[in-house]
Amino acid sequence: PAQPLLDEYCQERLGRLSSGVRIFRFEEVVAANACGQVLLVLDSMVLDVTSWLPEHPGGSRIIPAQSLNCDCARFFEMYHASRESFLYLSSFYLGELHPEDRPRVPPGGGKGAEPPSPDFLQQLREYTDPFRLKLGGEVSTPGKTVRNL
C-alpha cells in the first residue's frame, strides 16, 4: 500500500542508496536529521544510528541532544573510553562528508570546545580505514595533517 511507497520516496529524498556507501553534502545530513533520522558526522564519516538509538547504553536522548549537525568526535571520545565501540562503526557507516563541506561542520560542543585528541583520531582512522571511502582529500587536526582519504 501507500506506506512502502512513502518509505521509498523518503529514502530517495534523503539520499540513501541501497547499493552502498557514498559522499554526502552537509546539507543532506542536516535535512535528514530534520526529517527524523539520526545521522552523525564522526571525523567526516556519515553514520546512521537512527534504528539503534533505543539500544544505546547511554539512553536514546543523549545522541540527538548533543551530536546532531556537528562533528561528534569529541563526544565519542569522551563517552567511549574503551575502543570497543569502534567495532560497531562499520554497521552504521553510510559514507563520507564531501571534502568541501568539512570545514563548515561545527565541532561538537560549539565554538571553542576542546577538539578530539590526536591520539583518538589516529586510533579511529586506523580502525575505520578498511571500510571508509577514499576521496583523495586530506583530513586534518589542528596544526597537522593526519592522513589522506
Side-chain angles (χ1 to χ4, degrees):
Q3 187 62 33
L5 294 176
L6 178 60
D7 289 342
E8 189 175 294
Y9 172 78
C10 289
Q11 285 183 358
E12 276 184 35
R13 293 289 296 158
L14 294 172
R16 305 257 337 254
L17 296 179
S18 60
S19 61
V21 298
R22 68 181 186 86
I23 298 169
F24 285 79
R25 299 308 302 237
F26 187 55
E27 293 82 16
E28 292 178 273
V29 173
V30 172
N33 288 335
C35 289
Q37 281 193 274
V38 181
L39 301 188
L40 303 178
V41 175
L42 174 61
D43 189 43
S44 299
M45 292 183 287
V46 178
L47 307 170
D48 184 351
V49 298
T50 309
S51 62
W52 182 75
L53 277 182
E55 308 302 321
H56 184 246
S60 62
R61 294 186 179 156
I62 192 165
I63 292 174
Q66 292 184 338
S67 298
L68 293 184
N69 307 325
C70 67
D71 185 322
C72 67
R74 181 63 183 139
F75 292 127
F76 197 89
E77 179 182 21
M78 287 179 4
Y79 296 127
H80 301 98
S82 99
R83 301 304 183 232
E84 182 181 342
S85 54
F86 286 3
L87 299 172
Y88 304 102
L89 293 176
S90 64
S91 301
F92 304 119
Y93 184 72
L94 297 179
E96 296 289 324
L97 200 61
H98 193 287
E100 291 176 3
D101 291 351
R102 292 173 182 178
R104 298 183 321 132
V105 179
K111 286 186 178 183
E114 184 177 334
S117 70
D119 184 54
F120 169 79
L121 290 175
Q122 180 181 354
Q123 291 173 23
L124 176 68
R125 291 169 184 164
E126 287 172 0
Y127 188 83
T128 59
D129 184 67
F131 64 81
R132 291 182 77 168
L133 287 175
K134 310 301 184 264
L135 303 180
E138 294 180 342
V139 176
S140 298
T141 57
K144 70 175 186 173
T145 299
V146 176
R147 78 172 177 99
N148 291 325
L149 281 180

